Amino acid sequence: MNTADLKQEITSLIEGANDMASLEEVRVTALGKKGKITGMMKNLGQMDPEQRKTAGQELNILKTEIASLIESQAKMLKKQALDERLATEKLDMTLTPRPEMQGKVHPISQTMEELVTIFGEMGFSLQEGPDIEDDYHNFSALNFPVGHPAREMHDTFYLPDDPSETGEAAKKVLRTHTSSVQIRSMANAKPPVKMICMGRTYRSDYDITHTPMFHQCEGLMIDKETHMGHLKGCLMDFVRRFFEIDDLPTQFRPSFFPFTEPSAEMDIGCSRKDGGLKIGAGDSWLEVLGCGMVHPNVIKNFGLDPDEYQGFAFGMGIERLAMLKYGIPDLRTFFEGDTRWLDHYGFDAMARPNRAY
Ligand code: DAH
Protein backbone atom coordinates (compact mmCIF):
# COMPACT_ATOMS: atom_id res chain seq x y z
CA MET A 1 0.00 0.00 0.00
CA ASN A 2 1.40 3.45 -0.78
CA THR A 3 1.54 6.22 1.79
CA ALA A 4 -1.07 8.37 0.02
CA ASP A 5 -3.68 5.61 0.26
CA LEU A 6 -2.74 4.88 3.82
CA LYS A 7 -3.03 8.55 4.72
CA GLN A 8 -6.46 8.69 3.10
CA GLU A 9 -7.62 5.63 4.98
CA ILE A 10 -6.36 6.72 8.42
CA THR A 11 -7.58 10.29 7.95
CA SER A 12 -11.10 9.13 7.29
CA LEU A 13 -10.91 6.86 10.35
CA ILE A 14 -9.80 9.83 12.47
CA GLU A 15 -12.57 12.02 11.16
CA GLY A 16 -15.06 9.28 11.82
CA ALA A 17 -14.02 8.91 15.46
CA ASN A 18 -16.71 10.69 17.42
CA ASP A 19 -15.48 10.11 20.95
CA MET A 20 -12.15 9.84 22.72
CA ALA A 21 -12.32 6.05 23.02
CA SER A 22 -12.72 5.42 19.28
CA LEU A 23 -10.07 8.02 18.49
CA GLU A 24 -7.69 6.10 20.76
CA GLU A 25 -8.52 2.94 18.81
CA VAL A 26 -7.60 4.68 15.56
CA ARG A 27 -4.35 5.88 17.10
CA VAL A 28 -3.43 2.31 18.07
CA THR A 29 -4.36 1.02 14.59
CA ALA A 30 -2.11 3.58 12.95
CA LEU A 31 0.73 4.34 15.32
CA GLY A 32 0.59 1.57 17.97
CA LYS A 33 3.27 -1.12 18.24
CA LYS A 34 1.37 -3.30 15.81
CA GLY A 35 -0.10 -0.39 13.94
CA LYS A 36 -0.10 0.08 10.17
CA ILE A 37 2.49 2.84 9.95
CA THR A 38 4.70 1.10 12.51
CA GLY A 39 4.44 -2.09 10.44
CA MET A 40 5.51 -0.28 7.27
CA MET A 41 8.45 1.25 9.13
CA LYS A 42 9.58 -2.21 10.11
CA ASN A 43 9.59 -3.21 6.43
CA LEU A 44 12.08 -0.46 5.59
CA GLY A 45 14.89 -2.81 6.57
CA GLN A 46 14.21 -5.08 3.65
CA MET A 47 14.47 -2.29 1.05
CA ASP A 48 17.53 -1.25 -0.81
CA PRO A 49 19.19 1.93 0.50
CA GLU A 50 17.83 4.36 -2.14
CA GLN A 51 14.26 3.14 -1.77
CA ARG A 52 14.59 3.06 2.03
CA LYS A 53 15.65 6.69 2.07
CA THR A 54 12.64 8.04 0.19
CA ALA A 55 10.15 5.63 1.81
CA GLY A 56 11.60 6.40 5.26
CA GLN A 57 11.15 10.14 4.73
CA GLU A 58 7.63 9.67 3.44
CA LEU A 59 6.69 7.49 6.38
CA ASN A 60 8.15 9.96 8.88
CA ILE A 61 6.14 12.76 7.33
CA LEU A 62 3.03 10.58 7.35
CA LYS A 63 3.58 9.69 11.00
CA THR A 64 3.86 13.35 12.00
CA GLU A 65 0.82 14.32 9.96
CA ILE A 66 -1.32 11.55 11.44
CA ALA A 67 -0.20 12.39 14.97
CA SER A 68 -1.17 16.00 14.50
CA LEU A 69 -4.49 15.06 12.91
CA ILE A 70 -5.25 12.87 15.94
CA GLU A 71 -4.32 15.71 18.24
CA SER A 72 -6.62 18.21 16.56
CA GLN A 73 -9.45 15.68 16.44
CA ALA A 74 -8.96 15.11 20.20
CA LYS A 75 -9.12 18.84 20.82
CA MET A 76 -12.26 19.12 18.80
CA LEU A 77 -13.90 16.21 20.65
CA LYS A 78 -13.03 17.69 24.06
CA LYS A 79 -14.44 21.05 23.08
CA GLN A 80 -17.58 19.38 21.77
CA ALA A 81 -18.01 17.48 25.05
CA LEU A 82 -17.55 20.68 27.06
CA ASP A 83 -20.02 22.57 24.86
CA GLU A 84 -22.55 19.81 25.38
CA ARG A 85 -22.11 19.94 29.16
CA LEU A 86 -22.38 23.70 29.19
CA ALA A 87 -25.57 23.51 27.15
CA THR A 88 -27.22 20.91 29.37
CA GLU A 89 -25.88 21.67 32.86
CA LYS A 90 -27.64 24.95 33.47
CA LEU A 91 -27.50 26.62 36.86
CA ASP A 92 -29.87 29.51 37.51
CA MET A 93 -28.10 31.72 40.01
CA THR A 94 -31.26 33.70 40.68
CA LEU A 95 -33.16 30.72 42.07
CA THR A 96 -33.76 30.68 45.83
CA PRO A 97 -31.62 28.11 47.69
CA ARG A 98 -33.14 24.66 48.08
CA PRO A 99 -33.87 23.36 50.57
CA GLU A 100 -34.87 26.73 52.02
CA MET A 101 -32.36 28.06 54.49
CA GLN A 102 -33.07 26.64 57.92
CA GLY A 103 -31.99 27.72 61.36
CA LYS A 104 -31.43 31.10 62.91
CA VAL A 105 -28.75 32.65 65.06
CA HIS A 106 -29.88 32.59 68.70
CA PRO A 107 -30.32 36.03 70.32
CA ILE A 108 -27.69 35.06 72.93
CA SER A 109 -25.10 34.41 70.24
CA GLN A 110 -26.10 37.59 68.45
CA THR A 111 -25.81 39.67 71.63
CA MET A 112 -22.45 38.11 72.50
CA GLU A 113 -21.13 39.04 69.08
CA GLU A 114 -22.32 42.58 69.55
CA LEU A 115 -20.60 42.77 72.96
CA VAL A 116 -17.33 41.43 71.58
CA THR A 117 -17.47 43.95 68.77
CA ILE A 118 -18.19 46.98 70.93
CA PHE A 119 -15.70 46.17 73.70
CA GLY A 120 -13.20 44.90 71.14
CA GLU A 121 -13.22 48.28 69.47
CA MET A 122 -12.56 49.86 72.88
CA GLY A 123 -9.46 47.67 73.16
CA PHE A 124 -10.73 44.93 75.49
CA SER A 125 -9.39 41.43 74.83
CA LEU A 126 -11.59 38.34 75.15
CA GLN A 127 -10.76 35.83 77.92
CA GLU A 128 -12.23 32.52 78.98
CA GLY A 129 -12.51 30.53 82.19
CA PRO A 130 -13.99 27.18 83.26
CA ASP A 131 -17.69 26.65 84.07
CA ILE A 132 -16.73 24.32 86.92
CA GLU A 133 -14.87 26.62 89.29
CA ASP A 134 -13.30 26.21 92.67
CA ASP A 135 -14.33 28.08 95.78
CA TYR A 136 -11.17 30.21 95.64
CA HIS A 137 -11.77 31.72 92.19
CA ASN A 138 -15.54 32.04 92.51
CA PHE A 139 -15.58 33.46 96.06
CA SER A 140 -12.53 33.79 98.32
CA ALA A 141 -10.24 35.54 95.89
CA LEU A 142 -13.03 37.96 95.10
CA ASN A 143 -13.19 39.02 98.74
CA PHE A 144 -16.12 36.81 99.77
CA PRO A 145 -14.76 35.40 103.07
CA VAL A 146 -16.08 31.99 104.19
CA GLY A 147 -19.35 32.52 106.03
CA HIS A 148 -19.85 36.01 104.59
CA PRO A 149 -23.55 36.68 103.90
CA ALA A 150 -22.71 37.81 100.34
CA ARG A 151 -22.13 34.16 99.49
CA GLU A 152 -25.76 33.48 100.29
CA MET A 153 -26.82 36.02 97.66
CA HIS A 154 -25.68 33.53 95.05
CA ASP A 155 -27.83 30.40 95.05
CA THR A 156 -24.79 28.29 94.41
CA PHE A 157 -24.74 24.80 92.93
CA TYR A 158 -22.10 22.97 94.97
CA LEU A 159 -20.39 19.92 93.51
CA PRO A 160 -18.84 17.06 95.51
CA ASP A 161 -15.25 17.77 96.61
CA ASP A 162 -12.65 16.88 94.00
CA PRO A 163 -10.45 14.19 95.66
CA SER A 164 -7.54 14.99 93.30
CA GLU A 165 -7.15 18.47 94.83
CA THR A 166 -6.71 19.88 98.31
CA GLY A 167 -8.00 22.91 100.23
CA GLU A 168 -10.07 25.54 98.43
CA ALA A 169 -9.18 24.04 95.05
CA ALA A 170 -11.02 20.83 96.01
CA LYS A 171 -14.29 22.66 96.72
CA LYS A 172 -16.02 22.83 93.36
CA VAL A 173 -18.99 24.93 92.30
CA LEU A 174 -20.68 25.76 89.02
CA ARG A 175 -19.49 29.34 88.67
CA THR A 176 -22.15 31.73 89.93
CA HIS A 177 -20.70 34.63 87.96
CA THR A 178 -18.02 35.37 85.38
CA SER A 179 -16.14 37.49 87.94
CA SER A 180 -14.12 34.32 88.68
CA VAL A 181 -12.35 34.85 85.35
CA GLN A 182 -10.92 38.16 86.67
CA ILE A 183 -8.61 36.24 88.99
CA ARG A 184 -7.64 33.70 86.33
CA SER A 185 -6.80 36.21 83.65
CA MET A 186 -4.81 38.42 86.03
CA ALA A 187 -2.69 35.47 87.19
CA ASN A 188 0.14 36.07 84.73
CA ALA A 189 -0.93 39.36 83.24
CA LYS A 190 1.08 42.55 83.16
CA PRO A 191 -1.01 45.72 83.53
CA PRO A 192 -2.39 47.62 81.83
CA VAL A 193 -5.06 44.95 81.35
CA LYS A 194 -8.38 45.42 79.57
CA MET A 195 -10.38 42.26 79.23
CA ILE A 196 -13.90 40.97 78.91
CA CYS A 197 -15.12 37.45 79.45
CA MET A 198 -18.43 35.89 78.48
CA GLY A 199 -20.03 32.62 79.19
CA ARG A 200 -22.43 30.46 81.15
CA THR A 201 -23.13 31.03 84.82
CA TYR A 202 -25.30 28.99 87.18
CA ARG A 203 -27.61 29.67 90.11
CA SER A 204 -30.36 27.61 91.63
CA ASP A 205 -33.25 29.88 90.70
CA TYR A 206 -36.17 29.67 88.27
CA ASP A 207 -38.90 32.20 87.41
CA ILE A 208 -39.79 34.67 84.65
CA THR A 209 -36.47 36.53 85.10
CA HIS A 210 -34.25 33.68 86.36
CA THR A 211 -33.05 30.40 84.89
CA PRO A 212 -30.57 28.02 86.55
CA MET A 213 -28.17 28.60 83.67
CA PHE A 214 -27.71 32.02 82.17
CA HIS A 215 -24.93 34.07 80.57
CA GLN A 216 -22.86 36.94 81.83
CA CYS A 217 -20.35 39.34 80.41
CA GLU A 218 -17.60 40.52 82.71
CA GLY A 219 -15.21 43.41 82.16
CA LEU A 220 -12.00 44.41 83.89
CA MET A 221 -9.55 47.25 83.41
CA ILE A 222 -6.43 47.49 85.56
CA ASP A 223 -3.60 50.00 85.46
CA LYS A 224 -2.15 52.77 87.60
CA GLU A 225 -4.40 55.71 86.80
CA THR A 226 -7.86 54.33 86.06
CA HIS A 227 -10.60 55.97 88.10
CA MET A 228 -14.39 56.07 88.45
CA GLY A 229 -14.65 58.62 85.60
CA HIS A 230 -13.15 56.08 83.20
CA LEU A 231 -15.60 53.46 84.43
CA LYS A 232 -18.56 55.75 83.84
CA GLY A 233 -17.35 56.91 80.41
CA CYS A 234 -16.68 53.38 79.24
CA LEU A 235 -20.09 52.06 80.32
CA MET A 236 -22.01 55.08 79.06
CA ASP A 237 -20.39 54.67 75.64
CA PHE A 238 -21.16 50.98 75.76
CA VAL A 239 -24.91 51.23 76.47
CA ARG A 240 -25.40 54.00 73.91
CA ARG A 241 -23.69 51.94 71.27
CA PHE A 242 -25.39 48.70 72.25
CA PHE A 243 -28.92 50.10 72.35
CA GLU A 244 -28.17 52.34 69.35
CA ILE A 245 -29.46 55.47 71.12
CA ASP A 246 -26.95 58.33 71.10
CA ASP A 247 -28.50 60.32 73.94
CA LEU A 248 -29.47 57.38 76.15
CA PRO A 249 -29.53 58.74 79.72
CA THR A 250 -27.68 56.77 82.40
CA GLN A 251 -27.40 56.95 86.18
CA PHE A 252 -25.14 55.21 88.67
CA ARG A 253 -26.62 54.17 92.02
CA PRO A 254 -24.46 53.14 95.00
CA SER A 255 -24.55 49.39 95.57
CA PHE A 256 -22.59 46.60 97.20
CA PHE A 257 -20.38 43.87 95.75
CA PRO A 258 -17.64 42.31 97.87
CA PHE A 259 -15.06 42.66 95.08
CA THR A 260 -15.55 46.36 94.33
CA GLU A 261 -15.34 49.51 96.46
CA PRO A 262 -17.11 51.74 95.74
CA SER A 263 -19.74 49.66 93.94
CA ALA A 264 -22.56 50.86 91.76
CA GLU A 265 -25.45 49.72 89.64
CA MET A 266 -26.02 51.38 86.32
CA ASP A 267 -29.48 52.29 85.06
CA ILE A 268 -30.56 53.42 81.62
CA GLY A 269 -33.49 55.73 80.89
CA CYS A 270 -36.81 54.32 79.77
CA SER A 271 -40.50 55.07 79.66
CA ARG A 272 -43.36 52.76 80.47
CA LYS A 273 -46.71 53.32 78.87
CA ASP A 274 -49.74 51.03 78.66
CA GLY A 275 -47.71 48.09 79.88
CA GLY A 276 -45.05 48.73 77.18
CA LEU A 277 -41.40 49.54 77.75
CA LYS A 278 -39.40 51.95 75.62
CA ILE A 279 -35.69 52.43 76.11
CA GLY A 280 -34.47 56.05 75.82
CA ALA A 281 -34.99 59.37 77.59
CA GLY A 282 -38.12 59.01 79.70
CA ASP A 283 -39.54 59.15 83.20
CA SER A 284 -38.23 55.85 84.46
CA TRP A 285 -35.03 53.82 84.92
CA LEU A 286 -33.97 50.26 84.22
CA GLU A 287 -31.05 48.52 85.89
CA VAL A 288 -28.63 47.01 83.36
CA LEU A 289 -25.39 46.15 85.14
CA GLY A 290 -23.23 46.11 88.25
CA CYS A 291 -19.83 47.76 88.44
CA GLY A 292 -17.26 49.40 90.67
CA MET A 293 -13.62 50.09 91.44
CA VAL A 294 -11.78 46.82 92.10
CA HIS A 295 -11.38 46.24 95.86
CA PRO A 296 -7.79 46.50 97.16
CA ASN A 297 -8.05 42.95 98.55
CA VAL A 298 -8.83 41.68 95.05
CA ILE A 299 -5.92 43.68 93.58
CA LYS A 300 -3.71 41.87 96.11
CA ASN A 301 -5.11 38.55 94.93
CA PHE A 302 -4.14 39.56 91.40
CA GLY A 303 -0.60 39.60 92.80
CA LEU A 304 -0.39 43.39 92.51
CA ASP A 305 0.21 46.19 95.00
CA PRO A 306 -3.06 48.09 95.59
CA ASP A 307 -1.05 51.24 96.39
CA GLU A 308 0.29 51.14 92.86
CA TYR A 309 -2.52 49.57 90.80
CA GLN A 310 -6.23 50.15 90.56
CA GLY A 311 -9.01 49.71 88.08
CA PHE A 312 -12.65 49.05 87.45
CA ALA A 313 -14.84 46.03 86.80
CA PHE A 314 -18.36 45.45 85.57
CA GLY A 315 -20.70 42.54 85.06
CA MET A 316 -23.98 42.11 83.24
CA GLY A 317 -26.52 39.49 82.28
CA ILE A 318 -26.50 38.79 78.56
CA GLU A 319 -30.10 37.51 78.46
CA ARG A 320 -31.24 40.68 80.19
CA LEU A 321 -29.50 42.84 77.58
CA ALA A 322 -31.00 40.76 74.77
CA MET A 323 -34.49 40.90 76.31
CA LEU A 324 -34.32 44.69 76.57
CA LYS A 325 -32.86 45.28 73.12
CA TYR A 326 -34.99 42.80 71.22
CA GLY A 327 -38.21 42.97 73.27
CA ILE A 328 -38.20 39.37 74.51
CA PRO A 329 -40.55 39.14 77.51
CA ASP A 330 -39.75 35.82 79.24
CA LEU A 331 -36.22 34.68 80.06
CA ARG A 332 -37.19 31.01 80.28
CA THR A 333 -38.07 30.90 76.59
CA PHE A 334 -34.38 31.39 75.68
CA PHE A 335 -33.64 27.83 76.65
CA GLU A 336 -36.76 25.94 75.64
CA GLY A 337 -35.37 25.05 72.23
CA ASP A 338 -38.65 25.96 70.52
CA THR A 339 -37.90 26.52 66.83
CA ARG A 340 -40.97 28.75 66.42
CA TRP A 341 -39.52 31.05 69.08
CA LEU A 342 -36.16 31.03 67.30
CA ASP A 343 -37.83 31.72 63.95
CA HIS A 344 -39.39 34.78 65.50
CA TYR A 345 -36.56 36.15 67.66
CA GLY A 346 -33.53 34.66 65.90
CA PHE A 347 -31.25 36.30 63.36
CA ASP A 348 -30.63 35.32 59.78
CA ALA A 349 -27.25 33.64 59.57
CA MET A 350 -26.39 35.33 56.27
CA ALA A 351 -27.94 38.77 56.45
CA ARG A 352 -27.48 40.08 59.94
CA PRO A 353 -28.68 43.64 59.91
CA ASN A 354 -28.42 44.07 63.66
CA ARG A 355 -24.82 43.14 63.78
CA ALA A 356 -22.86 45.96 65.33
CA TYR A 357 -20.40 45.98 62.44
N1 DAH B 1 -20.66 39.35 89.62
C1 DAH B 1 -21.80 40.22 89.81
C2 DAH B 1 -23.07 39.39 89.77
O1 DAH B 1 -23.05 38.30 89.30
C3 DAH B 1 -21.87 41.25 88.73
C4 DAH B 1 -20.79 42.26 88.87
C5 DAH B 1 -21.00 43.39 89.61
C6 DAH B 1 -19.54 42.08 88.29
C7 DAH B 1 -20.03 44.34 89.76
C8 DAH B 1 -18.56 43.01 88.44
C9 DAH B 1 -18.80 44.16 89.20
O2 DAH B 1 -17.35 42.88 87.91
O3 DAH B 1 -17.85 45.07 89.33
O4 DAH B 1 -24.07 39.85 90.23
Side-chain angles (χ1 to χ4, degrees):
M1 185 188 262
N2 67 34
T3 47
D5 289 346
L6 188 57
K7 185 180 171 183
Q8 181 91 59
E9 185 194 322
I10 300 178
T11 305
S12 63
L13 283 177
I14 292 174
E15 284 166 359
N18 47 18
D19 56 42
M20 289 301 287
S22 35
L23 184 64
E24 174 61 10
E25 256 171 51
V26 179
R27 191 193 64 78
V28 174
T29 315
L31 303 172
K33 263 191 201 152
K34 292 180 183 159
K36 290 193 173 159
I37 299 180
T38 322
M40 286 173 80
M41 290 225 161
K42 279 182 192 156
N43 289 339
L44 287 174
Q46 293 147 18
M47 297 179 180
D48 63 56
E50 259 322 289
Q51 247 187 329
R52 186 189 309 154
K53 199 176 166 201
T54 32
Q57 276 173 354
E58 267 180 38
L59 278 178
N60 268 332
I61 293 171
L62 177 63
K63 200 175 152 188
T64 322
E65 282 175 343
I66 294 298
S68 96
L69 276 177
I70 293 179
E71 199 177 311
S72 36
Q73 181 74 0
K75 259 192 201 158
M76 195 275 289
L77 287 175
K78 280 184 191 155
K79 185 182 176 307
Q80 213 173 44
L82 181 64
D83 287 346
E84 255 167 52
R85 269 187 67 188
L86 288 175
T88 48
E89 281 180 24
K90 270 193 196 144
L91 188 62
D92 184 348
M93 301 297 282
T94 64
L95 282 177
T96 50
R98 273 180 192 275
E100 268 71 23
M101 203 154 41
Q102 286 183 341
K104 289 269 181 97
V105 174
H106 196 283
I108 293 291
S109 309
Q110 170 78 17
T111 305
M112 282 181 159
E113 269 197 45
E114 292 172 13
L115 293 173
V116 171
T117 305
I118 298 172
F119 285 113
E121 282 177 11
M122 292 184 188
F124 286 78
S125 70
L126 182 62
Q127 305 289 329
E128 281 186 324
D131 287 20
I132 296 179
E133 252 313 351
D134 55 40
D135 191 89
Y136 176 74
H137 289 91
N138 197 78
F139 291 126
S140 307
L142 290 166
N143 201 33
F144 287 79
V146 175
H148 191 282
R151 287 194 178 210
E152 310 306 316
M153 284 159 52
H154 294 204
D155 304 290
T156 312
F157 285 112
Y158 292 94
L159 300 177
D161 284 9
D162 179 348
S164 68
E165 309 241 33
T166 52
E168 283 176 313
K171 302 242 166 287
K172 300 291 185 190
V173 299
L174 290 180
R175 68 177 175 198
T176 59
H177 52 181
T178 43
S179 304
S180 53
V181 184
Q182 286 190 20
I183 303 292
R184 293 194 174 271
S185 33
M186 286 306 292
N188 299 306
K190 283 223 171 1
V193 169
K194 275 169 108 177
M195 72 92 174
I196 59 163
C197 150
M198 288 188 286
R200 294 179 177 167
T201 47
Y202 307 83
R203 292 185 201 178
S204 180
D205 209 351
Y206 188 70
D207 60 35
I208 189 169
T209 52
H210 297 91
T211 48
M213 187 281 295
F214 57 105
H215 297 76
Q216 281 191 342
C217 174
E218 186 81 15
L220 180 70
M221 155 121 212
I222 298 292
D223 73 1
K224 294 186 176 172
E225 321 260 288
T226 307
H227 54 68
M228 196 82 185
H230 295 126
L231 161 68
K232 290 176 75 175
C234 169
L235 294 175
M236 283 159 74
D237 276 355
F238 161 67
V239 288
R240 288 176 179 166
R241 178 89 194 277
F242 178 77
F243 290 103
E244 296 165 30
I245 302 174
D246 289 342
D247 61 349
L248 182 60
T250 52
Q251 69 174 13
F252 290 80
R253 276 178 296 102
S255 183
F256 171 79
F257 300 102
F259 38 89
T260 43
E261 182 56 39
S263 303
E265 272 166 329
M266 183 192 192
D267 298 339
I268 54 172
C270 70
S271 46
R272 299 168 207 268
K273 246 184 247 139
D274 311 321
L277 176 71
K278 190 167 175 287
I279 292 173
D283 52 6
S284 193
W285 296 98
L286 255 178
E287 181 199 319
V288 284
L289 56 84
C291 56
M293 299 306 294
V294 180
H295 195 289
N297 289 348
V298 178
I299 301 268
K300 277 188 210 152
N301 293 332
F302 290 163
L304 299 174
D305 177 0
D307 288 330
E308 200 182 344
Y309 290 101
Q310 55 186 1
F312 63 77
F314 54 87
M316 53 196 138
I318 296 178
E319 286 79 3
R320 181 167 172 78
L321 291 175
M323 285 165 84
L324 293 173
K325 182 165 177 179
Y326 297 116
I328 306 172
D330 186 339
L331 174 63
R332 293 169 297 196
T333 56
F334 276 77
F335 309 114
E336 283 171 355
D338 186 333
T339 54
R340 293 164 304 175
W341 182 88
L342 196 57
D343 263 348
H344 183 76
Y345 288 112
F347 295 83
D348 197 321
M350 296 297 176
R352 300 178 60 184
N354 292 302
R355 222 167 170 147
Y357 49 90

